[in-house]
């Protein structure tokens, strides 16, 4: 991933210097798990494609993800002070700068996606997928539903699942779909959407469990923030043991769907294994 990290940093070359750009770089280039780029590259490998074909799309997705984290950490939302082991953007800079840094990464994502394909048609498809998954009918819808649910009693798993299909699942589905688009495998997109939905839900359940079982040092963010915000989680609804079983079952279902595809699966299976056993 070092080559991709260098590519990501290079996108700021020859840009106008500003405090906002500094804040954007602070948040984006503070290496996270880079799960979404890894998924995109694994899909390209599964189709026998060069992973460098996906650098532009992966960078755009990581910008979208980082912008969402900056805004999610703001006092008006989750009011978190720690992200990826460092002070959150609004703590390191200030609230106004953090808002603008998020806005900057959001718009830079579409600038980057507009040049992500080998031709204009593919780039347009990448832009469209980014807009759908990150927009008001995608991730933003999930965040809105999450805020609405704070302090309320979630009656059943279906209601909680709906939140996380959008909030977490959409941005984990996006790299899978973009990988298929870049590889010219449009007929596989529905399969990747199903797989993305499953791993997105499993990933969120794991997050819910880790929030109450791991330390802030292990997570790189504030542990116990869900309880602080009175959020509805799979732990509060199902308990830790049942939530873990649910997360494992969803990953196994995703693996079953993957096995039905005629691709080289080993790279994606490796990521799935790492996700199942992650501790942060």
């Amino acid at each position: 991933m070092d080559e991709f990290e260098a590519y990501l940093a290079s996108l700021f070359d020859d840009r106008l210097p500003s405090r906002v750009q500094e804040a954007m770089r602070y948040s984006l280039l503070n290496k996270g798990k880079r799960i979404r780029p890894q998924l995109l590259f694994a899909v390209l490998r599964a189709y026998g494609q060069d992973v460098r074909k996906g650098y532009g799309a992966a960078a755009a997705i990581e910008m979208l993800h980082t912008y969402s984290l900056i805004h999610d950490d703001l006092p008006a939302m989750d009011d978190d002070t720690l992200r990826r082991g460092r002070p959150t953007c609004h703590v390191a800079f200030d609230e106004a700068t953090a808002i603008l840094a998020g806005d900057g990464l959001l718009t830079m994502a579409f600038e980057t996606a507009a040049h992500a394909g080998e031709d204009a048609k593919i780039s347009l498809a990448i832009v469209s997928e980014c807009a759908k998954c990150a927009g008001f009918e995608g991730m933003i819808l999930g965040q809105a539903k999450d805020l609405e649910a704070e302090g309320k009693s979630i009656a059943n798993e279906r209601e909680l699942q709906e939140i996380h299909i959008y909030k977490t699942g959409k941005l984990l589905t996006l790299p899978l779909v973009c990988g298929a688009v870049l590889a010219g495998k449009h007929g596989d997109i529905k399969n990747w959407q199903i797989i993305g939905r499953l791993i997105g839900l499993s990933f969120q359940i794991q997050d819910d469990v880790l929030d109450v079982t791991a330390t802030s040092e292990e997570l790189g963010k504030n542990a116990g923030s869900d309880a602080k915000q009175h959020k509805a989680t799979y732990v509060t609804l199902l308990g830790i043991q049942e939530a873990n079983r649910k997360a494992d079952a969803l990953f196994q279902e995703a693996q079953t769907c993957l096995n039905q595809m005629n691709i080289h699966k080993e790279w994606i299976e490796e990521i799935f294994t790492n996700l199942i056993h992650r501790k942060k």
Side-chain angles (χ1 to χ4, degrees), residues 92-143:
F93 293 85
D94 56 73
E95 190 173 345
T97 300
I99 292 170
L100 292 174
D103 294 344
L105 286 170
L106 171 60
T107 48
M108 190 177 179
F110 287 102
E111 175 191 352
T112 305
H115 305 282
E118 293 178 336
D119 59 49
K121 186 176 180 181
I122 293 175
S123 294
L124 178 60
I126 298 295
V127 168
S128 178
E129 293 298 336
C130 285
K132 286 187 290 187
C133 287
F136 71 98
E137 293 182 306
M139 176 196 67
I140 290 174
L141 177 60
Q143 289 179 318

Side-chain angles (χ1 to χ4, degrees), residues 72-85:
D72 204 39
D73 290 335
L74 289 169
M77 295 186 70
D78 286 353
D79 196 15
D80 273 325
T81 58
L82 191 66
R83 175 67 67 179
R84 293 173 176 171

Side-chain angles (χ1 to χ4, degrees), residues 2-172:
D2 288 345
E3 186 177 304
F4 173 69
E5 292 293 338
Y7 168 82
L8 201 57
S10 75
L11 296 176
F12 289 95
D13 291 349
D14 303 318
R15 301 282 186 164
L16 293 175
S18 69
R19 183 171 169 80
V20 170
Q21 189 205 136
E22 185 183 348
M24 292 165 65
R25 291 172 59 92
Y26 172 87
S27 297
L28 181 67
L29 302 182
N30 180 20
K31 296 181 184 178
K33 295 183 282 290
R34 303 294 194 224
I35 290 169
R36 291 151 193 84
Q38 288 186 56
L39 286 170
L40 196 156
F41 301 153
V43 172
L44 286 173
R45 283 182 171 180
Y47 289 123
Q49 303 283 317
D50 188 337
V51 298
R52 287 172 292 186
K53 180 185 284 191
Y55 278 11
I61 294 169
E62 200 65 6
M63 288 172 191
L64 290 171
H65 176 54
T66 304
Y67 122 77
S68 75
L69 298 180
I70 292 173
H71 283 190
D72 204 39
D73 290 335
L74 289 169
M77 295 186 70
D78 286 353
D79 196 15
D80 273 325
T81 58
L82 191 66
R83 175 67 67 179
R84 293 173 176 171
R86 295 203 297 181
T88 49
C89 190
H90 71 275
V91 173
F93 293 85
D94 56 73
E95 190 173 345
T97 300
I99 292 170
L100 292 174
D103 294 344
L105 286 170
L106 171 60
T107 48
M108 190 177 179
F110 287 102
E111 175 191 352
T112 305
H115 305 282
E118 293 178 336
D119 59 49
K121 186 176 180 181
I122 293 175
S123 294
L124 178 60
I126 298 295
V127 168
S128 178
E129 293 298 336
C130 285
K132 286 187 290 187
C133 287
F136 71 98
E137 293 182 306
M139 176 196 67
I140 290 174
L141 177 60
Q143 289 179 318
K145 288 179 177 292
D146 190 39
L147 287 171
E148 290 168 5
E150 283 184 10
K152 296 179 181 178
S153 176
I154 293 294
N156 56 59
E157 190 178 336
R158 181 191 60 77
E159 294 174 346
L160 189 57
Q161 179 176 289
E162 186 178 42
I163 293 172
H164 297 309
I165 282 173
Y166 292 100
K167 183 181 178 183
T168 305
K170 288 293 184 180
L171 281 194
L172 281 169

